[in-house]
Amino acid sequence: MLRAGAVIVVFAVVAALVGPLLTPFDPAAQDLALRLAGPSVAHPFGLDELGRDILARVLAGARISFLVGLTVVSVSASLGTLLGAMAGYFGGAIDDLISRIVDVLMAFPGLLLAIALVAVLGPSLGNVLFALTIIGWVGYARLVRGQVLRAREFEYVQAARAMGAHTWRILWRHVIPTAMPAVVVQATLGMAGAIIGEAALSFLGLGVQPPTPSWGTMLNGGRAHLLDAPHLTIFPGVAIALLVLGLNFLGDGLRDATDPKSKSSNSRV
Amino acid sequence: MTRFFLRRLLLTVPVLLGVATLVFSLIHLVPGDPVQAMLGDSATPQDIADLRGRLGLDRPLYVQYAAFLKGVGTGNLGTSLRTNQPVTAAIAERLPATFELAFAAMFVATAIAIPLGIIAAVGAGTRVDYAATTAALLGISIPNFWLGPLMAIVFSVTLGWLPVSGRGTLAHLVLPAMTLGAPLAAVLARMTRASVIEELRELYVLAARARGVSPARAVLHHAFRNSLIPIVTVLGLQFGAVLTGAVITETIFAWPGVGRLLIQSISFRDYPLVQGCILLIAVTYVGMNLMTDLAYGFLDPRIRFD
């Protein structure tokens, strides 16, 4: 599972990086005479409603997806880890404040808060990144808080405290690293969530705006042509599903590799 | 027991207050003047002043906040800017459609996931298990905004079996319910598999087999029955994902529910209606989580001591 996930993700990364070399067409170039043309040798994924090469746009969309995934995950994970570690380590009023904010943000199901934020802030890539980060950091904070609550009682942490080590040094050097394996697993699955989140917002017309190619925007454009040009819907969807599947495989595999309990659940009964 | 229930109920109050505060502040997050944003560039200063007065945005912030909380408590969330209909009435009109879709999706998910999870658990480590686990992971990975159009292409466009949009007959419900239920089925199948595997390891299952109980009966009547608590919990907790998924599914299939109303009100910048829809979905989610927690506490006495 881990290997299959890694292969899919590496394939997607390479495709996103060398995308312009894989197709001679510009993702924004229009050929209205060939609009909605189906897959052919020249255009393996066909052309969209404005005669743009879908393969070129899927490859360009991959770059947007990775940009969103990496930005949201790195900011959310850093913020969530820091706040979760502070809540778990200091306890008291700091813990109460951070935990109540987490509770309130977690009271909104999944993407709903992101939809609400983008609805008022306006549709743009920047606002999508902001909204997905706002809903993203809470998961890391809750996860790290739990890990730190346990880690702060470890003898070596107490020893460091007794030796007079600075609080931030203890957190940075001794406490936060114990939460890292769980954070890495969460980040892998979180990247899949961020990519789906961006695509969902763009599909609803609240995310990346045309003509920038995003897989969600492409799927939204394909809705009007389900009858006459289903390829507009099929190829961007395959791209999202494949990348998310790869990231889920990778996340699950990493979890199995780091969690002995989940390893044993795979054994034969 | 009563103490556990009361404590859990009390813990919900600050969360609901936080949710209401966040929903209240949404309109103040609009860049620039929210009234100008709602009316557009062609609005006259008089129009802007009128709407500002109607929404109460000309009052001090704390007065607006108190009035909002009072409105939430009394079910008065203002009126829609587009239709002048009270927000609560507009939502109440659409609510049955959303609940119909949500419960149909949960039914579809349960009907697929439970047998799949049990089969995977019984054959854990075999090819059947890998196939079921991969199918479940595929279900989680395929976004419903792709699955929906894909099913419409197959079942409506190609085969002509089912209508592609609207609400009315059972046939209209099939595609939206399957689209919304598929990711839930995937999560539930994984949970069922893990939970049944856990129970199959217990000594009472071994004892049942030693007493001559058939393998099928040992699985279904012993292991599965005891693994139901976490499965039901996941089902309850996933209700939020179903509600969010409904926003997308209703948009795809033109299903006249609260989710579609939300997206329509966003496009018309009808912020009172946007706030109402968001508040309703979030409060329903909090309520569902509360009920799941209470049910869990009732079913599993160990929880009450946590």
Side-chain angles (χ1 to χ4, degrees), chain A residues 10-262:
Chain A
V10 168
F11 172 76
V13 171
V14 171
L17 287 175
V18 302
L21 302 175
L22 297 176
T23 169
F25 300 103
D26 184 318
Q30 300 180 9
D31 186 349
L32 290 171
L34 285 175
R35 60 187 295 274
L36 300 178
S40 61
V41 177
H43 303 280
F45 288 4
L47 293 124
D48 70 4
E49 68 277 19
L50 294 174
R52 295 171 296 193
D53 183 69
I54 294 179
L55 174 60
R57 294 182 68 74
V58 165
L59 292 169
R63 290 195 282 278
I64 296 281
S65 288
F66 277 113
L67 170 76
V68 170
L70 289 171
T71 310
V72 170
V73 163
S74 50
V75 178
S76 303
S78 308
L79 190 66
T81 301
L82 179 68
L83 293 175
M86 283 170 63
Y89 191 79
F90 294 116
I94 293 177
D95 185 19
D96 281 346
L97 178 69
I98 294 171
S99 295
R100 292 301 79 76
I101 294 172
V102 168
D103 284 347
V104 170
L105 291 178
M106 281 198 153
F108 288 86
L111 267 180
L112 185 74
L113 189 59
I115 291 174
L117 287 171
V118 178
V120 293
L121 295 173
S124 73
L125 181 59
N127 288 339
V128 167
L129 292 174
F130 173 73
L132 293 177
T133 304
I134 290 289
I135 63 167
W137 71 269
V138 289
Y140 297 96
R142 185 164 275 191
L143 178 78
V144 172
R145 178 182 173 274
Q147 302 270 338
V148 168
L149 277 176
R150 205 166 46 90
R152 72 175 182 182
E153 303 305 329
F154 288 161
E155 281 178 5
Y156 65 85
V157 175
Q158 291 181 345
R161 211 180 292 146
M163 285 166 67
H166 194 272
T167 304
W168 291 106
R169 186 183 161 81
I170 295 172
L171 268 176
W172 184 248
R173 294 289 298 270
H174 303 296
V175 176
I176 290 179
T178 62
M180 275 305 115
V183 170
V184 169
V185 173
Q186 172 98 346
T188 313
L189 298 171
M191 188 147 164
I195 288 170
I196 285 204
E198 179 277 317
L201 289 169
S202 298
F203 175 79
L204 292 170
L206 301 171
V208 176
Q209 294 299 297
T212 308
S214 143
W215 291 341
T217 314
M218 292 169 77
L219 283 176
N220 192 18
R223 277 168 66 201
H225 299 284
L226 281 185
L227 292 170
D228 52 337
H231 61 276
L232 265 66
T233 298
I234 291 169
F235 293 110
V238 169
I240 299 176
L242 204 62
L243 178 55
V244 171
L245 183 71
L247 288 165
N248 282 338
F249 269 146
L250 201 59
D252 266 19
L254 284 172
R255 181 159 44 203
D256 284 356
T258 54
D259 179 8
K261 212 175 156 191
S262 65

Side-chain angles (χ1 to χ4, degrees), chain A residues 107 120 233 245 248-249 252 264, chain B residues 31 137 141 146 190 201 251 285:
Chain A
V120 293
T233 298
L245 183 71
N248 282 338
F249 269 146
D252 266 19
S264 65
Chain B
L137 210 53
S141 307
W146 184 51
R190 279 157 66 100
R201 288 208 188 96
T251 306
Y285 181 50

Side-chain angles (χ1 to χ4, degrees), chain B residues 20 29-30 53 55 57 60 65 73 83 86 91 99 116 138 147 151 154 156 160 164 167 172 252 268 288 303:
Chain B
L29 291 175
V30 176
L55 294 175
L57 294 174
Y65 182 58
T83 62
I91 292 174
F99 278 124
L116 196 69
L138 210 60
L147 184 64
M151 288 209 292
V154 176
S156 303
V164 76
R167 179 183 178 230
H172 285 97
I252 297 170
F268 287 111
M288 199 65 195
I303 298 299

